[in-house]
Amino acid sequence: MAPSERAEDLTGRARIRDAALVEFAEHGVKGATIRGIAKAAGVSPALVQHHYGTKEALREACDAHVIEVIRETKSEALHGGMANPSFLSIAMRTALPVQRYVARALTDGSPAAAALFDDAVEYSEEILERGAPGISKPGTDDLHGYATVMTGMSLGLIVLHEHMSRAFGADILTRDGYPRMALAMLDVLTDSLISPELAEQTRAALKTLPAAGGQFPHEENR
């Protein structure tokens, strides 16, 4: 489903799910209630239970939706969506509530949050392995580690959104603050801050560290 189609997905079931995303992001899964979600969606609690049964089932539906949105938005962006003037506006309107949900889920910690992170790593590894328009295949001998760090850097910005927003002077999970953060991230990804010589020296030192038999201070008493 394209972002434009998602934006128009206003069925009762989808409206409840979208309201739940906001309520879970604001109050956490424990704090959110069926009654509160129903009120936010403009429906009765009975209709929420009719569509989803329990709050846990609704959370699972939100998780599945979040994974789908993240995958499809990234895929469309990588396959020419960024050239479409309307794509970014639609994608932001769809993705920002999702990012708030992800931030809360990762902060609260749960098997569902672990699944969200693992899926993001898996998808990043898939993209890096097969390549995509405008993306060079990385020159690493640890593609899974590479994908994991990329995911951690990306989602870490969202988890730390309150601190990031304070530093930027604008909420990074809004249309006002997000572009500046994204541009800074783009600069970080495209700049070559470390010289090839320093990178090679550091890589060689790190690769010999396990073989050296030494321990970090906090490991000595284990």
Side-chain angles (χ1 to χ4, degrees):
M1 187 184 299
S4 59
E5 292 174 321
R6 286 197 300 267
E8 296 174 0
D9 183 10
L10 298 176
T11 65
R13 184 178 177 86
R15 192 163 65 248
I16 292 167
R17 179 203 63 211
D18 290 347
L21 282 173
V22 175
E23 290 293 300
F24 287 146
E26 181 70 23
H27 305 290
V29 174
K30 292 183 179 178
T33 65
I34 291 291
R35 185 174 296 277
I37 292 168
K39 182 178 180 181
V43 300
S44 68
L47 188 60
V48 175
Q49 293 173 320
H50 168 74
H51 280 302
Y52 293 100
T54 65
K55 186 171 71 171
E56 181 61 21
L58 178 51
R59 182 202 58 74
E60 291 173 359
C62 287
D63 288 342
H65 175 67
V66 163
I67 290 171
E68 178 187 11
V69 168
I70 291 173
R71 280 181 168 249
E72 292 189 355
T73 302
K74 285 185 176 180
S75 178
E76 186 167 345
L78 292 173
H79 289 84
M82 294 302 291
N84 183 341
S86 65
F87 169 78
L88 188 57
S89 177
I90 295 171
M92 285 182 62
R93 186 166 65 246
T94 304
L96 290 178
V98 164
Q99 290 178 330
R100 288 190 181 278
Y101 177 87
V102 170
R104 183 60 184 248
L106 292 174
T107 301
D108 287 349
S110 67
L116 285 171
F117 185 88
D118 292 348
D119 184 86
V121 171
E122 180 183 351
Y123 182 67
S124 295
E125 191 169 357
E126 289 174 5
I127 291 293
L128 294 170
E129 177 64 36
R130 70 171 185 259
I135 303 255
S136 300
K137 193 169 183 178
T140 178
D141 56 5
D142 182 7
L143 189 61
H144 181 72
Y146 192 102
T148 300
V149 170
M150 277 189 63
T151 301
M153 290 171 63
S154 177
L155 294 182
L157 297 176
I158 305 305
V159 171
L160 294 171
H161 68 93
E162 292 183 357
H163 299 289
M164 296 288 294
S165 298
R166 185 181 65 254
F168 273 111
D171 188 342
I172 65 166
L173 297 184
T174 66
R175 293 171 63 91
D176 292 331
Y178 182 82
R180 184 182 175 197
M181 182 198 70
L183 284 169
M185 187 64 175
L186 183 62
D187 288 340
V188 170
L189 290 173
T190 55
D191 276 343
S192 298
L193 295 178
I194 301 177
S195 70
E197 294 78 16
L198 179 57
E200 189 55 39
Q201 291 169 6
T202 305
R203 183 174 290 108
L206 289 170
K207 285 187 174 182
T208 60
L209 187 60
Q215 291 179 311
F216 290 109
H218 69 279
E219 296 178 322
E220 292 176 354
N221 297 323
R222 288 186 179 180

